[in-house]
Amino acid sequence: MNTKIILANRPTGAIEDSNFDIKTEELPELKDGEVLIEINAISLDPAMRGWMNEGTTYIKGVGIGEVMRAFSAGKVIKSSNSGYKEGDFVSGLLGAQQYCIHNGEGLMKLDVTNDNLTHHLGVLGMPGMTAYFGLLRKGEPKAGEVIYISGAAGIVGSTVGQIAKIKGCTVIGSAGSNEKCKYLLEECGFDHAINYKTENIDEKLKVYAPNGMDIFFDNVGGETLDIALANLAQGARVVICGAISQYNDMANIRGPKNYMKIVTARGVMNGVIVFDYVKEWPMAVKEIAGWIEDGKMKPKEHIITGLKNFPSALKMLYTGDNFGKLILTV
Ligand SMILES: NC(=O)c1ccc[n+]([C@@H]2O[C@H](COP(=O)([O-])OP(=O)(O)OC[C@H]3O[C@@H](n4cnc5c(N)ncnc54)[C@H](OP(=O)(O)O)[C@@H]3O)[C@@H](O)[C@H]2O)c1
């Protein structure tokens, strides 16, 4: 039997529990070329709000009645595919469910050591790859430069900041609580942290980066993007990674007012989509794993257990109640 989370209807604003159903049904027989995967961990990602909408952006919206799309990781427990054997650990778009029958295409084989399966959904998975390629390919950090990261205490932001420190940058991050700011300073090695709920970002940036920022890595969008644009240094690179402050009302998205600063700063504003680098993921996974082993990077995870908690866990991303990479274990 397989228990799965189904998209029951589409949210109009914030996600509600009633947008999902939980269903249990019998698994079909395995066909030639297929593998049966027992899912151990499901990644909860801000992009899920967009996947619940109708239509296609960079990926098609999940259909009503379909299993909710999710990056998941687990173990092959039965295989009719010569590329995989029982006991292999894999990850991929396996969905929010207990088991997945898959044809093997696009699955990643995982090198699971020291019980680090959940890392493969976080710092060694899609969000870690977003940080790595977004920063290094679009931000192009150089030693001595100043970077500001919004949404800094999340898995993407904290990984960007820790890589930027490795590259010799001065790192400023903003997050939504004193506890998260303390984590940025004490555990991630950031130089400055701004609690955007109690402090004025513009005032703080002028103190921490008096000559402006060379890189702005944006996970939040909206007003934060506008403030950052106004504080760019000459030749700045703005990396648009996400805009979580806008995801619940994309029809009325707040566009940047201060975009003319890109002109006067001779800057660039660049978008990043992690899937464009899939072929290079193994190289990046190896490098990040090396940094973790050397103690240069400390991934933080927030684990919730039980498939039935999928809706309530997912909502935490949009209220800031998660602290670290949010993962649901099955
Ligand atoms: N382009 C790509 O290929 C790609 C791939 C993966 C992720 N992303 C984007 O990267 C960003 C971070 O993702 P993540 O997985 O690391 O999530 P995350 O940061 O672990 O979780 C989301 C965080 O966003 C913050 N937040 C929520 N609502 C906010 C608001 N209205 N204003 C400011 N902050 C708000 C909350 O932190 P606070 O407590 O600090 O408010 C929350 O903890 C998202 O925008 C996501 O869409 C892009």
Side-chain angles (χ1 to χ4, degrees):
M1 300 301 283
N2 183 26
T3 301
K4 49 194 189 177
I5 301 293
I6 302 291
L7 182 65
N9 53 66
R10 302 189 191 281
T12 45
I15 294 171
E16 293 181 24
D17 292 3
S18 59
N19 297 136
F20 299 103
D21 269 345
I22 187 158
K23 274 194 182 156
T24 299
E25 61 185 32
E26 213 167 309
L27 278 162
E29 281 298 312
L30 215 57
K31 293 198 209 91
D32 217 27
E34 289 182 336
V35 289
L36 174 64
I37 302 157
E38 183 181 37
I39 294 173
N40 305 111
I42 297 168
S43 175
L44 297 163
D45 291 291
M48 285 173 159
R49 175 64 188 82
W51 298 346
M52 293 169 77
N53 291 337
E54 198 162 14
T56 302
T57 50
Y58 65 97
I59 198 166
K60 198 169 174 286
V62 177
I64 300 296
E66 286 178 8
V67 176
M68 182 59 198
R69 179 183 296 131
F71 276 96
S72 314
K75 200 197 244 180
V76 173
I77 53 169
K78 208 169 172 188
S79 179
S80 297
N81 181 317
S82 57
Y84 300 90
K85 57 180 191 317
E86 282 172 33
D88 281 348
F89 282 96
V90 293
S91 70
L93 285 169
L94 308 178
Q97 53 185 340
Q98 233 179 339
Y99 296 96
C100 174
I101 290 180
H102 201 282
N103 64 10
E105 273 174 43
L107 286 182
M108 301 261 257
K109 273 199 200 176
L110 307 178
D111 179 15
V112 177
T113 48
N114 304 324
D115 295 332
N116 68 351
L117 185 68
T118 51
H119 282 12
H120 289 276
L121 295 178
V123 71
L124 300 177
M126 185 279 287
M129 300 301 102
T130 306
Y132 183 96
F133 292 104
L135 175 65
L136 299 181
R137 297 294 165 79
K138 305 284 180 168
E140 300 180 359
K142 293 168 208 67
E145 288 192 326
V146 180
I147 177 170
Y148 165 46
I149 303 154
S150 64
I155 180 65
V156 174
S158 61
T159 307
V160 169
Q162 291 177 83
I163 300 176
K165 281 312 299 175
I166 291 167
K167 299 293 171 189
C169 296
T170 296
V171 179
I172 308 166
S174 55
S177 71
N178 288 342
E179 200 192 356
K180 288 185 179 181
C181 287
K182 190 166 179 260
Y183 156 73
L184 293 177
L185 296 172
E186 293 180 4
E187 289 180 53
C188 301
F190 281 43
D191 299 279
H192 306 285
I194 304 168
N195 179 343
Y196 73 88
K197 289 189 178 159
T198 59
E199 296 181 296
N200 182 306
I201 300 178
D202 187 51
E203 279 173 22
K204 290 290 171 185
L205 286 178
K206 287 188 165 58
V207 174
Y208 299 146
N211 299 318
M213 289 118 41
D214 302 292
I215 305 169
F216 173 46
F217 194 101
D218 193 17
N219 293 308
V220 166
E223 191 189 357
T224 309
L225 171 58
D226 261 330
I227 296 168
L229 285 174
N231 286 284
L232 295 181
Q234 287 291 304
R237 286 83 68 200
V238 175
V239 183
I240 303 292
C241 174
I244 194 158
S245 70
Q246 305 294 304
Y247 291 170
N248 284 331
D249 191 11
M250 290 296 278
N252 297 303
I253 191 163
R254 173 178 167 160
K257 265 198 313 216
N258 293 335
Y259 78 96
M260 282 303 286
K261 184 73 190 195
I262 291 287
V263 179
T264 54
R266 286 83 168 165
V268 291
M269 201 161 162
N270 228 324
V272 62
I273 286 287
V274 63
F275 302 115
D276 295 347
Y277 301 95
V278 165
K279 284 193 183 134
E280 296 183 81
W281 284 20
M283 171 276 293
V285 168
K286 213 167 151 200
E287 185 157 26
I288 296 179
W291 287 329
I292 296 171
E293 220 174 286
D294 295 345
K296 290 181 180 159
M297 198 176 266
K298 289 184 194 132
K300 187 171 176 63
E301 293 176 343
H302 185 151
I303 310 269
I304 294 192
T305 303
L307 205 52
K308 68 175 189 327
N309 295 318
F310 179 89
S312 55
L314 180 57
K315 289 192 294 189
M316 294 168 79
L317 290 171
Y318 311 93
T319 54
D321 287 318
N322 69 306
F323 192 1
K325 171 63 204 150
L326 193 59
I327 287 171
L328 193 71
T329 53
V330 181

